[in-house]
Amino acid sequence: MPEDPTDRGALRAAGKEIRALMAEAAGVGARLVQFPEGAITYPSKHVMAAGPDGELVPADWSRAAWDVLREEAESIAALAGKLRLWTAFGSIHPLTPPNRPHNSLFVVSDRGELVARYDKRFLSHTEVSYLYTPGSEPLVFEVDGIRIGCALCVEANFPPLFAEYERLDVDCVLLSVMVDDAPRARVAQAYGTLYSYWLGYAVPAQFSATVPSGIVAPGGRWLAQCPADGQPALAVADIDLDSADPDIDVALRYARPWRRRAQEGLYQDRLVVGDPRSDIRTAF
């Protein structure tokens, strides 16, 4: 992924690669394709926020090639409409100066329309100090009756965000990242176990030797993963709310409803309060 948003050629190459993978996804019958955080560009702090002595300073976003970023995003949207393919991809979204941009995940419908934008809410220390403006709201959109939430990279370390998506009754969360970090993938699996929804985990191909992109099933099992060979690729899986897969069926039909009932007070009428036999001194 280009780390320099002033490099017009690199931005165009990134857009071209995204569109090639979109065509491949449409060719295998996909309805939605997810790309990593910063798929068009993930600006490096060393490029955008480096002072004359190498210290970090607030980024000068006027240097970014915003015209090329917009053109590439529009080309991606146009192809999504042509392919009838929902597409989620990471890039940056400008705000009125002097406000810093958002680090965002753009969602384009199968009609080629930008229907939603998720702005990263939990930023790293460097991001919030020198680079971006945080977002403030969750995002849920629907594809063919499937409710989908969005999260970006370091947000994997904030469990309340994923619990919030459970309360919003999503069927899947798209977690797009830009980091070479095996524990983050394990956390994604954990959310599939804890909340019994699907997880789309998108990571750049150059990090695939550590953990490649893939789809986690309700219950936490990897349904599909890309090859761990450093090359751009797709992992494809069905999100089937009526799945006969035993693990998925148990997670959707039993584990998720039981967990909700338990948290809503399932045990309140079974509590024993003030029984002296529960005192530790008389417990044996």
Side-chain angles (χ1 to χ4, degrees), residues 1-4 14 17 35-42 178 203-206:
M1 307 300 172
E3 294 186 343
D4 185 353
E17 184 171 286
F35 291 95
E37 179 185 34
I40 295 182
T41 181
Y42 185 77
M178 173 60 78
V203 65
Q206 64 261 36

Side-chain angles (χ1 to χ4, degrees), residues 154-176:
V154 74
E155 292 184 324
N157 296 323
F158 294 86
L161 187 153
F162 292 83
E164 176 184 40
Y165 280 126
E166 152 60 12
R167 292 192 298 273
L168 291 171
D169 199 30
V170 303
D171 302 302
C172 176
V173 172
L174 306 182
L175 176 57
S176 292

Side-chain angles (χ1 to χ4, degrees), residues 242-254:
D242 298 313
S243 175
D245 181 295
D247 290 345
I248 296 175
D249 183 64
V250 167
L252 295 182
R253 240 65 66 187
Y254 299 100

Side-chain angles (χ1 to χ4, degrees), residues 90-109:
S91 189
I92 50 178
H93 175 72
L95 298 178
T96 304
N99 298 299
R100 299 170 184 165
H102 288 308
N103 183 350
S104 304
L105 189 71
F106 294 85
V107 179
V108 177
S109 76

Side-chain angles (χ1 to χ4, degrees), residues 59-137:
D60 177 8
W61 287 105
S62 67
R63 298 191 295 117
W66 292 109
D67 57 333
V68 177
L69 288 167
R70 175 174 288 277
E71 289 168 7
E72 291 306 313
E74 290 175 346
S75 293
I76 290 166
L79 182 60
K82 181 179 179 180
L83 297 175
R84 307 297 292 176
L85 177 70
W86 285 77
T87 304
F89 63 95
S91 189
I92 50 178
H93 175 72
L95 298 178
T96 304
N99 298 299
R100 299 170 184 165
H102 288 308
N103 183 350
S104 304
L105 189 71
F106 294 85
V107 179
V108 177
S109 76
D110 59 355
R111 295 187 176 188
E113 301 168 346
L114 176 65
V115 295
R117 191 189 74 240
Y118 176 71
D119 301 322
K120 192 175 182 179
R121 292 179 281 169
F122 293 93
L123 303 174
S124 71
H125 174 74
T126 297
E127 286 177 324
V128 76
S129 298
Y130 305 106
L131 293 167
Y132 302 119
T133 295
S136 60
E137 301 292 336

